[in-house]
Amino acid sequence: MADRETGRDRRQVLLGLARTGLAAGGFGVLYHVLRERPRERSATPGIFDWRRTGGQRAGAIARGSDPAANVRRAVAALGGMERFAGRGETVLIKPNVGWDRVPEQAANTDPDVVAELVRLCLEAGAARVVVADFPCNDPRRSFTRSRIGPAARKAGATIVYPPSLGTRPADLPGVLAGLEVMELLPRADRVINVPVVKHHSLAKATLGMKNWFGVIGGGRPRLHQGIHRAIAELGAAFRPTLTVVDATRILVANGPQGGSLDDVRRVDAVAAGTDPVALDAWGASLLGLDHRRLGFIAEAEKLGLGLGDPSSLEELGTA
Amino acid sequence: MIWWRRLRLLYQLAFLALLLWLLERLAAGDPRTLPYDLLHHGDPLTAAGLALAHHAVPTALGLSLAVVLLTLAGGRIFCGWICPLGTLQELVARWGTPRRLRERSGRNRWRPLYRTKYVLLALLAGWAVLGSLQTGLLDPLSLLARGLAAAVWPLLPVRGPVPGGWIAGALLAAVVLASVWTPRLFCRAFCPLGALLGLLARFSLFRIRRIDGRCTGCLLCVTDCQGADEPLGDHRVEECMVCLECIDRCGEHALSYGFSSAPSPLPAVPDLSRRRALGALAGGLVLGPVLRASGGGRTARSATAIRPPGSVPENEFLDRCVKCMLCQQACPTGAIQPALSGVGVEGFWTPVLDMRRGWCEYTCTRCGEVCPTGAIRLLTADEKIGRNDDPPVRIGTAFIDRGRCLPWAMATPCIVCEEMCPTDPKAIWLEEAVDHGRDGNAVRLQRPRIDPARCVGCGICENRCPAGEHAAIRVSTAGETRSAANRMLVGS
């Protein structure tokens, strides 16, 4: 029986309805997949320990005008990257890509340092190297202008940042409770923390343990209310396989994002090691700070995260 | 099917795909300088509106001259072959197309309602003469880009929600879905750009011609007609969208598209009496001042109407902005949002910055790169941040709310705004102070202070302030570079 107005019979109308329904359903599913991506809701344990046992030295400092060579020498002095990145493993490299600044402004980790670490991990047999951060500025601009994105990609790493990188809940302890973490943390076998040495008006210095701000999702600004305790608790919650402190250029004032080249000093050094507290103490000394009087280093020692003594690091000198 | 029907569909899909691709690249933050505003630059309605409202047309809009010439040569080819909004309507109209030819032709006959677009054009022209450019509200390119930016792109994971986005989305949906009922209802009845091109098409050299002896009056030519221009009798050339469907349908070979050597005497077109046209123009002339006076966008300055960096002074801004929201699409932080209030009726859906949704990235100049009308000037990064000792481009100034600020009001350490401040030296500086909490114990604090001579109003401090949604540091328009009246400091 055809409809008088449109000339369609029941069969055609039903087919039309079915097609429309299918299209609408498809849209709904697509929307769900794209936008409301099923997020991991169950909290992961809040202590992330990626350390490897063994090794004699707390760390080593290499100096020279080539940042990549410094990285190679410092890591070699610790026994080579094979010690930290195993065959077939996924390695997460966490540089400081906080700001929409160029390398010369020393607000982010040096791109050559990051790229060299990527190469060393791949040479050591890592299956996948991921470079990730939650920048303070626009992520795409920060990764591009810091040159960390292009350099690490060229070296063979996967680059991830928001909005394609999200957060997931974690049972973080103490002052960190309730904050979410970078969603790929539980999937990483090994993690290398690669801070840059910078001034910070509240904590005095932003170094390795402070760099963990960059794996915390929204709400991290409130951690500044008790910054020293918060930094130490971050150090307790995130225990990296390796810490590499970039002091190719350091920012001595107007940190942590600087801007003026007058605030940048060239130190041409890179330190690598497994004692995050000793490495932070070394970085603080470069800024002319007395590490024994720095709140977050004292707090970290109290938590047993390491020894705030830069002399435990081996000085390799200039090549 | 004659080859040109396929060719037309190909053209339509290509332009639609081009627009969607450009908008997608823009939203994704593609670092390349693609011609994001290409189609918007070919919009004669924008050009005409700016000429009336602003007495000048940016050179970039020269492309619209090509569309004018195209229309003078061959009629409203833009409407039938290029306009992406027309294409969307045509695609959607297929759903509602009856199978019986007679019912189909019924939907494609001319109706008196289709005169409305000329009334709207006259109204908008009258309004523009008085310096208020409102063509963007109904301009098909603005309407489409705005609807996509406000209601379609937010569906994707990369973009956040848009306040009031449903308004632009509902308008777009209504325009497109009305085609199920009457094909291209918007083009035929309401599109001011179509009306403008229709006025030009009256003089077109190429048009549909009819060989009188052959026509049997069968009405088949109307079956798939896009413009409802009725090629059967007195062809309404100003309504014709050059879809050429009529030629294909005519079984008697009575119709052709070609050079008309002896132009048919102009019918009383646009199908609108002179009285009505003048009435509409007068309506615009009255409506303009009334809405400006009661809407209060220009004189009653708003503290929160923070315009994108490089925006021209407010009066000129309202003369230029066509509300296409390409700037919103381009903004990497999502700070640029349509203004639903606080900018007067004239400013409805013009771009402002909402610092709780984003902030103005210090060296980013993306919004000015994509603005098709120069409402937002193209800046270089150096110009914007004032390198080389020139003053920076300020969009406002940040003010501290000492009643909400943690170190000022609650003896709690916090330096987030100072840490985020991107200027060199920082506009936010810290004052050492000793306060005490409830227990009477002394607390050493660093309290943020603002150096208004340094602040550019970027708003990243407001964006990151931990004092909840109503931040303890907020940007207002005071001191914005573009306004000579909104100065705060002596000598600035």
Side-chain angles (χ1 to χ4, degrees):
Chain A
M1 188 59 192
D3 184 276
R4 199 173 295 167
E5 277 201 3
T6 59
R8 287 175 196 189
D9 60 25
R10 178 167 293 144
R11 187 184 140 77
Q12 286 167 326
V13 171
L14 284 175
L15 274 174
L17 278 174
R19 271 199 298 268
T20 315
L22 217 64
F27 172 80
V29 169
L30 200 70
Y31 178 79
H32 188 77
V33 170
L34 283 176
R35 180 90 219 182
E36 314 274 287
R37 204 159 27 122
R39 291 187 57 217
E40 189 57 67
R41 282 324 320 177
S42 63
T44 175
I47 302 290
F48 295 86
D49 194 344
W50 297 288
R51 285 176 299 170
R52 287 215 156 167
T53 48
Q56 308 300 311
R57 294 174 180 133
I61 306 156
R63 296 176 192 273
S65 56
D66 178 6
N70 291 342
V71 171
R72 271 197 310 275
R73 285 174 55 229
V75 172
L78 300 175
M81 191 54 96
E82 289 74 13
R83 239 192 88 193
F84 306 106
R87 199 154 285 282
E89 286 181 333
T90 297
V91 181
L92 169 67
I93 295 181
K94 163 65 181 83
N96 187 330
V97 200
W99 309 97
D100 177 14
R101 298 285 199 208
V102 295
E104 291 71 23
Q105 290 169 310
N108 303 306
T109 306
D110 189 273
D112 294 340
V113 168
V114 179
E116 189 57 28
L117 284 168
V118 173
R119 274 189 288 270
L120 288 176
C121 289
L122 290 173
E123 281 166 19
R128 188 158 174 259
V129 181
V130 182
V131 176
D133 197 8
F134 287 150
C136 297
N137 285 134
D138 172 32
R140 188 187 58 78
R141 288 181 67 93
S142 302
F143 268 86
T144 308
R145 291 225 307 152
S146 68
R147 296 209 284 271
I148 287 174
R153 197 173 288 127
K154 199 168 152 228
T158 311
I159 314 298
V160 277
Y161 50 78
S164 55
L165 177 64
T167 60
R168 57 168 296 159
D171 276 327
L172 292 170
V175 297
L176 308 174
L179 294 169
E180 301 208 335
V181 300
M182 193 181 274
E183 62 187 345
L184 55 77
L185 289 191
R187 296 204 297 274
D189 299 311
R190 302 294 153 202
V191 173
I192 304 178
N193 186 22
V194 199
V196 56
V197 177
K198 292 187 290 181
H199 159 263
H200 190 274
S201 51
L202 185 62
K204 307 283 183 226
T206 166
L207 294 154
M209 290 186 287
K210 172 82 168 59
N211 200 31
W212 295 118
F213 266 71
V215 299
I216 303 282
R220 70 192 194 201
R222 69 170 182 259
L223 292 181
H224 291 82
Q225 291 158 34
I227 192 94
H228 295 291
R229 180 76 197 170
I231 291 174
E233 290 199 12
L234 283 168
F238 304 99
R239 314 199 68 172
T241 320
L242 178 67
T243 302
V244 178
V245 179
D246 168 34
T248 306
R249 299 179 193 82
I250 66 172
L251 188 62
V252 296
N254 288 314
Q257 61 168 319
S260 171
L261 298 183
D262 298 340
D263 301 331
V264 177
R265 300 281 177 276
R266 241 196 128 98
V267 175
D268 282 327
V270 169
T274 51
D275 183 340
V277 188
L279 287 160
D280 273 13
W282 176 72
S285 69
L286 295 180
L287 292 167
L289 298 166
D290 182 356
H291 57 81
R292 278 158 303 202
R293 297 185 58 189
L294 267 179
F296 64 90
I297 288 184
E299 296 270 2
E301 281 187 325
K302 249 187 276 173
L303 293 175
L305 304 179
L307 261 170
D309 177 14
S311 65
S312 65
L313 309 175
E314 185 188 0
E315 178 68 64
L316 302 173
T318 319
Chain B
M1 191 188 266
I2 300 177
W3 60 271
W4 67 63
R5 294 181 63 189
R6 287 176 191 278
L7 186 67
R8 187 172 74 89
L9 187 66
L10 208 65
Y11 263 84
Q12 287 182 296
L13 293 179
F15 279 106
L16 178 63
L18 177 70
L19 180 79
L20 291 178
W21 180 73
L22 287 174
L23 290 179
E24 191 277 324
R25 287 288 80 205
L26 190 55
D30 195 312
R32 288 171 292 178
T33 313
L34 298 169
Y36 296 108
D37 41 10
L38 181 72
L39 287 169
H40 292 75
H41 277 155
D43 188 333
L45 181 66
T46 303
L50 259 96
L52 289 178
H54 182 57
H55 311 298
V57 181
T59 44
L61 283 168
L63 193 58
S64 61
L65 191 65
V67 174
V68 168
L69 292 176
L70 183 70
T71 311
L72 286 174
R76 286 168 62 183
I77 295 172
F78 177 86
C79 303
W81 293 61
I82 296 173
C83 179
L85 187 60
T87 305
L88 277 180
Q89 291 178 77
E90 208 176 317
L91 293 175
V92 166
R94 293 180 176 212
W95 283 343
T97 305
R99 297 188 160 218
R100 290 191 187 156
L101 296 184
R102 197 186 313 147
E103 276 134 20
R104 251 201 259 181
S105 12
R107 305 180 342 143
N108 294 326
R109 298 297 297 268
W110 185 83
R111 295 175 201 169
L113 174 71
Y114 297 167
R115 290 178 181 139
T116 315
K117 59 180 176 292
Y118 298 105
V119 176
L120 289 172
L121 179 66
L123 201 75
L124 291 171
W127 216 342
V129 167
L130 292 169
S132 181
L133 187 62
Q134 297 298 326
T135 57
L137 286 175
L138 288 174
D139 179 283
L141 293 171
S142 282
L143 196 153
L144 177 58
R146 189 171 65 216
L148 290 172
V152 177
W153 251 260
L155 292 172
L156 301 176
V158 290
R159 303 302 282 189
V162 173
W166 62 273
I167 300 173
L171 181 61
L172 177 61
V175 162
V176 173
L177 291 178
S179 258
V180 179
W181 168 58
T182 298
R184 283 183 180 260
L185 178 70
F186 175 77
C187 312
R188 292 175 184 177
F190 304 115
C191 180
L193 175 58
L196 180 67
L197 295 179
L199 294 179
L200 296 169
R202 294 170 63 197
F203 307 101
S204 66
L205 299 174
F206 279 67
R207 53 181 70 190
I208 300 287
R209 291 182 307 171
R210 189 171 54 121
I211 301 157
D212 283 337
R214 289 193 184 163
C215 177
T216 58
C218 68
L219 290 184
L220 273 175
C221 50
V222 186
T223 314
D224 293 311
C225 177
Q226 292 299 317
D229 45 304
E230 303 192 323
L232 53 131
D234 283 335
H235 179 226
R236 298 166 194 272
V237 65
E238 78 282 4
E239 303 290 311
C240 176
M241 297 181 191
V242 204
C243 67
L244 308 179
E245 300 283 348
C246 53
I247 300 173
D248 190 26
R249 281 286 171 191
C250 181
E252 311 295 332
H253 301 291
L255 295 171
S256 63
Y257 176 70
F259 184 66
S260 164
S261 53
S264 49
L266 287 177
V269 286
D271 219 316
L272 189 68
S273 68
R274 198 162 294 163
R275 230 173 281 172
R276 262 193 225 191
L278 287 173
L281 195 69
L285 291 173
V286 173
L287 199 60
V290 168
L291 285 182
R292 192 181 292 188
S294 59
R298 297 191 185 222
T299 44
R301 301 208 56 87
S302 162
T304 53
I306 301 161
R307 297 293 188 190
S311 289
V312 293
E314 187 67 7
N315 269 327
E316 194 185 337
F317 189 85
L318 292 174
D319 290 351
R320 282 173 176 260
C321 176
V322 290
K323 313 173 186 212
C324 66
M325 296 318 275
L326 285 180
C327 51
Q328 176 190 6
Q329 191 91 335
C331 181
T333 70
I336 299 183
Q337 299 287 343
L340 303 180
S341 64
V343 285
V345 179
E346 293 174 274
F348 182 70
W349 217 274
T350 50
V352 292
L353 273 76
D354 179 346
M355 302 308 186
R356 291 312 281 182
R357 288 173 185 270
W359 65 94
C360 185
E361 195 67 283
Y362 191 46
T363 54
C364 173
T365 54
R366 200 83 162 149
C367 47
E369 286 167 25
V370 300
C371 180
T373 63
I376 309 171
R377 273 192 310 122
L378 175 60
L379 301 171
T380 62
D382 282 357
E383 241 180 303
K384 187 182 171 198
I385 70 171
R387 217 168 270 160
N388 314 325
D389 294 331
D390 292 322
V393 172
R394 301 172 206 283
I395 57 175
T397 305
F399 293 83
I400 290 173
D401 184 342
R402 292 189 180 180
R404 293 181 67 89
C405 177
L406 293 174
W408 277 107
M410 298 164 201
T412 305
C414 179
I415 48 89
V416 173
C417 52
E418 186 262 1
E419 173 178 273
M420 292 293 151
C421 183
T423 62
D424 167 39
K426 286 174 185 289
I428 301 177
W429 56 281
L430 298 169
E431 181 183 61
E432 302 275 342
V434 178
D435 199 350
H436 56 84
R438 192 176 180 173
D439 53 12
N441 293 339
V443 187
R444 294 184 59 83
L445 293 166
Q446 292 159 298
R447 286 172 170 163
R449 302 285 302 267
I450 288 167
D451 179 354
R454 295 281 172 198
C455 181
V456 293
C458 76
I460 195 169
C461 49
E462 180 175 344
N463 186 270
R464 297 294 158 82
C465 175
E469 275 305 297
H470 194 54
I473 182 165
R474 298 185 297 277
V475 176
S476 90
T477 54
E480 55 182 338
T481 299
R482 70 192 186 110
S483 167
N486 201 5
R487 290 274 180 272
M488 184 169 68
L489 300 176
V490 172
S492 68

